[in-house]
């Protein structure tokens, strides 16, 4: 056993210090970023916000909406080939720039991935997603997908430490998804005691990835737009969200009504609910590592997205970053013990 005594920080432990700026208004800030990916050599331009590949978030409906803002949707892996065919008929090529297919790592997943990709040459992105990206099997799978799809942009995760980011980039990933345990409907930390405070994970993993010319996606743990700004400030190239995109018309999940109030069901992809739906229940050897919650219904996703983008533009203005790309260079985090005033919160 060993103890690491360096302090590791989450979003709640810091604020971003304001800096002198020549920017007049948040309208002067550009949130567009351009990347050239390490292994596929492909380029991408857009707003690097991502809806998570959960079936109550990363839906076709979400992709149609977010792509209009050049924001990204990683589609969950439970749609059938027929569902994909229907979606691909409705969507324009240029919208596919903001859409990724996702896959797990078993043989059936791999076979389905090939079939989906063969439906349309505009499907450029693949997200290989497992709860624990530290297994050798996962690295081997990433290598195989890279060999089979040399020109696709590969995201792989999740991990939280620099050495594993490097290993995945060397195995063929273009971007590495970072986050173990911070999610709004995740219970991994409670069930297993394993995890890493998200802001430190971002800072350390971004450093490792950028050293090799790769990118990272901060995945999970953002509960307010300020957290998204902190994630970018820490060095994230993309920020993925589940809970902040849940509860909308475009989010999957059942709409229910109780005592005159509307809610949408939102659950973790390792929750009892998801496992009952897709895996015939929770296998005996494992524990559910996700929650099922009722999110107050929030209407169309546009307003929530604009709230996030507005917050991000404002954060850039406070530190004098005219482009999102500059935010991390201009960020100084200060450690704090209080965040916001709770007088009017119940
Ligand atoms: P959020 O933005 O809601 O805080 O986090 C979303 C992320 O939580 C997802 O992208 C995914 O990485 C993670 N996640 C989703 N479902 C589960 C689950 O059932 N268990 C765990 N441990 N993580 C989950």
């Amino acid at each position: 056993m060993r103890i690491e005594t360096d302090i590791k920080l989450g979003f709640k432990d810091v604020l971003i210090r304001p800096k002198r700026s020549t920017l007049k208004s948040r309208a002067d800030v550009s949130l567009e970023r351009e990347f050239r990916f390490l292994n596929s050599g492909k380029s991408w331009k857009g707003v690097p916000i991502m809806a998570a590949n959960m079936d109550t978030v990363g839906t076709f409906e979400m992709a149609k909406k977010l792509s209009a803002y050049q924001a990204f949707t990683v589609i969950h892996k439970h749609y059938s080939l027929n569902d994909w065919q229907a979606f691909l008929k409705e969507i324009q090529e240029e919208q596919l720039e903001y859409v990724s297919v996702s896959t797990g790592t078993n043989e059936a997943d791999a076979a389905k991935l090939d079939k989906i990709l063969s439906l349309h040459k505009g499907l450029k992105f693949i997200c290989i997603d497992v709860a624990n990206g530290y297994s050798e099997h996962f690295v081997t799978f990433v290598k195989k997908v890279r060999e089979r799809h040399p020109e696709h942009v590969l995201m792989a995760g999740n991990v939280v430490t620099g050495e594993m980011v490097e290993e995945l980039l060397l195995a063929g990933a273009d971007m590495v998804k970072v986050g173990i345990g911070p999610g709004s409907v995740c219970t991994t930390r409670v069930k297993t005691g394993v995890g890493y405070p998200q802001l430190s994970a971002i800072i350390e993993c971004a450093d490792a990835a950028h050293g090799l010319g790769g990118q990272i996606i901060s995945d999970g743990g953002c509960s307010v737009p300020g957290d998204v700004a902190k994630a970018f400030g820490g060095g994230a190239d993309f920020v993925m969200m589940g809970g902040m995109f849940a509860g909308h018309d475009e989010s999957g999940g059942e709409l229910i009504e109780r005592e005159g109030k509307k809610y949408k069901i939102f659950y973790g992809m390792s929750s009892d609910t998801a496992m009952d739906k897709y895996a015939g229940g929770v296998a005996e050897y494992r524990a559910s590592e996700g929650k099922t919650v009722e999110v107050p219904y929030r209407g169309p996703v546009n307003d929530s997205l604009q709230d996030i983008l507005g917050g991000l533009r404002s954060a850039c203005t406070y530190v004098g970053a005219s482009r999102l790309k500059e935010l991390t260079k201009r960020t100084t985090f200060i450690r704090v013990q209080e965040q916001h005033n709770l007088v009017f919160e119940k």
Side-chain angles (χ1 to χ4, degrees):
M1 196 277 297
R2 245 189 91 214
I3 299 183
E4 265 186 33
T5 51
D6 292 359
I7 288 175
K8 302 294 176 187
L9 302 167
F11 298 129
K12 69 168 191 351
D13 301 315
V14 301
L15 287 167
I16 299 170
R17 191 172 76 185
K19 287 206 171 103
R20 278 185 65 235
S21 157
T22 52
L23 294 172
K24 286 203 197 90
S25 123
R26 51 173 104 171
D28 297 338
V29 173
S30 164
L31 296 181
E32 203 179 76
R33 289 219 53 185
E34 198 168 349
F35 295 108
R36 191 179 157 80
F37 297 112
L38 174 67
N39 288 305
S40 61
K42 287 276 175 350
S43 303
W44 182 86
K45 206 196 249 186
V47 176
I49 294 281
M50 286 179 163
N53 49 315
M54 303 168 73
D55 66 349
T56 44
V57 179
T59 63
F60 291 143
E61 293 71 28
M62 188 66 80
K64 285 180 204 158
K65 278 287 175 72
L66 296 194
S67 60
Y69 295 81
Q70 295 178 280
F72 211 97
T73 304
V74 183
I75 306 287
H76 69 78
K77 69 173 189 179
H78 298 292
Y79 280 119
S80 69
L81 273 175
N82 285 344
D83 296 334
W84 270 100
Q85 261 161 340
F87 169 68
L88 291 167
K89 276 192 197 129
E90 291 168 13
I91 196 157
Q92 313 289 321
E93 287 261 338
E94 62 271 20
Q95 288 175 287
L96 287 180
E97 280 292 296
Y98 309 104
V99 169
S100 176
V101 181
S102 28
T103 178
T105 57
N106 65 37
E107 276 175 30
D109 288 330
K112 187 172 168 189
L113 172 68
D114 283 357
K115 284 187 190 146
I116 294 171
L117 294 179
S118 70
L119 293 176
H120 201 299
K121 63 175 176 15
L123 287 170
K124 282 199 332 200
F125 292 84
I126 303 171
C127 175
I128 311 174
D129 188 33
V130 294
N132 171 7
Y134 283 78
S135 81
E136 206 178 317
H137 168 72
F138 179 62
V139 178
T140 309
F141 189 86
V142 171
K143 280 186 189 152
K144 278 195 190 142
V145 175
R146 171 49 73 214
E147 277 164 22
R148 222 170 145 67
H149 303 286
E151 294 182 4
H152 282 76
V153 181
L154 285 195
M155 325 173 191
N158 281 21
V159 300
V160 285
T161 48
E163 89 285 357
M164 209 58 207
V165 168
E166 286 165 0
E167 176 144 5
L168 290 170
L169 291 172
L170 294 173
D174 292 296
M175 299 192 253
V176 176
K177 210 145 71 77
V178 172
I180 293 189
S184 58
V185 282
C186 166
T187 55
T188 295
R189 292 179 184 174
V190 182
K191 289 283 170 76
T192 69
V194 176
Y196 212 93
Q198 186 66 5
L199 183 66
S200 285
I202 294 168
I203 294 168
E204 294 167 28
C205 291
D207 188 50
H210 297 163
L212 289 182
Q215 273 84 31
I216 65 154
I217 302 164
S218 167
D219 176 19
C222 290
S223 58
V224 289
D227 292 342
V228 182
K230 291 173 190 174
F232 282 117
D237 300 289
F238 286 80
V239 177
M240 176 179 267
M241 281 159 268
M244 287 182 70
F245 284 130
H248 298 95
D249 291 331
E250 298 79 1
S251 322
E254 199 188 334
L255 181 67
I256 53 169
E257 202 164 331
R258 229 174 334 94
E259 294 166 11
K261 286 198 180 136
K262 288 182 180 164
Y263 300 86
K264 281 201 113 178
I265 305 287
F266 173 52
Y267 47 83
M269 295 314 293
S270 316
S271 64
D272 293 355
T273 310
M275 285 198 266
D276 286 345
K277 197 165 169 189
Y278 299 115
V282 182
E284 253 171 50
Y285 60 87
R286 62 183 291 179
S288 142
E289 286 177 27
K291 288 182 216 168
T292 301
V293 297
E294 292 174 3
V295 184
Y297 168 64
R298 297 200 266 170
V301 73
N302 305 51
D303 290 350
S304 301
L305 180 65
Q306 278 173 18
D307 199 40
I308 296 168
L309 301 183
L312 205 45
R313 279 202 188 88
S314 194
C316 288
T317 331
Y318 271 111
V319 298
S322 60
R323 296 181 301 150
L324 181 58
K325 183 173 191 229
E326 295 163 16
L327 180 59
T328 180
K329 271 187 248 145
R330 299 195 62 94
T331 292
T332 302
F333 287 120
I334 45 172
R335 284 189 60 204
V336 296
Q337 300 208 316
E338 60 176 19
Q339 281 283 322
H340 59 287
N341 189 324
L342 299 173
V343 169
F344 296 112
E345 311 240 330
K346 275 185 271 170

